[in-house]
Amino acid sequence: MKLVICGKGGSGKSTIAALLAKATVKTGNSVLVIDTDESNFGLHRQLGVELPQDFMNYLGGKDVALEKIMAAAPDYESVSFFDKEWQIADIPSEYYSEKNGIKLIAIGKIHEVGEGCACTMGMVAKEFIGNLNLNSNEVVLVDTEAGIEHFGRAVEKDVDAIIMVIDPSYESMKLSEKVLELSSSIEKPVYYVLNKVDAANEQFMMESISNQDMIIAAIPANTALSVAGLKGNEIMADGSGIENMNQFLMENLRK
């Protein structure tokens, strides 16, 4: 299955992506984490691997991909970066990092001032995700940039479900409504993960979600996890909330 993980900035979506990847591997699956956030330089540390080189380089770099897009204008939907379906095993080794059954690829990062927007990387991410043909024991987790711009790029077009991470903030609660609206418009199920939950905020967060059946996990605030993230250390999946979320996804979304 293919899952997109989204949320507002600072909600903990990359942390949840890393924890879910580790929990999923424990159940005998192999996992590909696709980093589509051009501003995130920490996800690889949470997974305990080196940051791989940009997958955009496989296509000749951002400028080459952009030229291909501009040559197709205004029919951008006709642009194709791949001439066949891929399997995870087809990804060249120089474009991923791997540890304990988890592979990480990074579509692209912003490296220089003035290099332009990330729209090209979004188009590549969308097609790469759609082009992946998975085996029965393979799971893809797509970590997105903060907010909802990835919906505008249709990165979610070929995934099986959308997981939104909600932190205890008004902005996150309001964004959850928009994510539901956008997900419904493309007929993709959306599930909520409440993050940084404690006794003071849990009930209010629960009651703020119109359909509480869509909440598949409530992850407690964890000081040790926060400190590990601050230091750039690898994080470990050791909570029942993550394990229960993984079990729910496997039972309800597995093809």
Side-chain angles (χ1 to χ4, degrees):
M1 61 183 175
K2 304 174 186 177
L3 304 171
V4 157
I5 300 174
C6 67
K8 65 172 273 293
S11 62
K13 58 187 177 54
S14 295
T15 298
I16 296 299
L19 292 174
L20 182 57
K22 289 174 176 289
T24 303
V25 162
K26 285 183 178 180
T27 58
N29 300 283
S30 60
V31 178
L32 174 67
V33 178
I34 303 178
D35 179 2
T36 68
D37 185 351
E38 64 278 357
S39 303
N40 187 336
F41 287 86
L43 175 59
H44 66 287
R45 297 295 298 267
Q46 293 177 314
L47 292 170
V49 299
E50 295 297 317
L51 179 66
Q53 69 165 301
D54 292 355
F55 185 73
M56 294 292 295
N57 293 341
Y58 174 80
L59 304 174
K62 183 178 178 182
D63 290 341
V64 172
L66 181 59
E67 288 175 6
K68 191 169 187 177
I69 293 170
M70 298 306 295
D75 185 16
Y76 297 111
E77 290 299 319
S78 67
V79 176
S80 178
F81 300 102
F82 308 99
D83 57 5
K84 64 173 184 174
E85 286 190 335
W86 280 46
Q87 293 191 323
I88 292 177
D90 295 327
I91 302 172
S93 60
E94 60 266 35
Y95 294 103
Y96 67 81
S97 298
E98 182 174 18
K99 183 176 181 180
N100 298 332
I102 301 173
K103 289 182 178 179
L104 170 70
I105 72 166
I107 298 297
K109 300 293 180 183
I110 298 296
H111 298 287
E112 299 177 1
V113 174
E115 69 175 76
C117 73
C119 298
T120 304
M121 291 180 269
M123 292 184 68
V124 170
K126 178 185 74 169
E127 187 173 351
F128 180 74
I129 294 165
N131 237 38
L132 276 177
N133 185 16
L134 303 183
N135 295 322
S136 60
N137 67 330
E138 293 177 332
V139 176
V140 169
L141 303 177
V142 183
D143 186 29
T144 59
E145 76 272 23
I148 55 174
E149 186 175 350
H150 43 89
F151 279 99
R153 300 173 187 168
V155 170
E156 288 80 1
K157 177 177 176 290
D158 292 299
V159 303
D160 298 301
I162 296 157
I163 299 173
M164 181 182 178
V165 181
I166 301 176
D167 69 359
S169 68
Y170 177 82
E171 294 84 353
S172 199
M173 295 298 178
K174 296 303 292 183
L175 189 64
S176 70
E177 299 172 6
K178 188 62 180 181
V179 168
L180 176 59
E181 175 190 331
L182 294 170
S183 301
S184 298
S185 71
I186 54 174
E187 298 181 340
K188 302 293 181 182
V190 59
Y191 300 103
Y192 296 133
V193 174
L194 307 184
N195 194 30
K196 307 176 186 178
V197 170
D198 60 28
N201 61 38
E202 183 172 10
Q203 182 175 351
F204 182 81
M205 291 176 73
M206 289 276 189
E207 293 175 349
S208 297
I209 302 299
S210 57
N211 185 350
Q212 296 186 17
D213 290 338
M214 298 161 61
I215 301 172
I216 60 172
I219 310 301
N222 186 320
T223 301
L225 195 62
S226 298
V227 171
L230 176 64
K231 293 181 177 180
N233 294 337
E234 181 178 1
I235 57 178
M236 307 305 295
D238 57 0
S240 59
I242 292 292
E243 294 170 358
N244 292 341
M245 175 171 61
N246 178 62
Q247 182 178 353
F248 173 90
L249 295 169
M250 292 298 164
E251 291 177 354
N252 290 275
L253 296 177
R254 200 62 178 267
K255 292 181 177 179

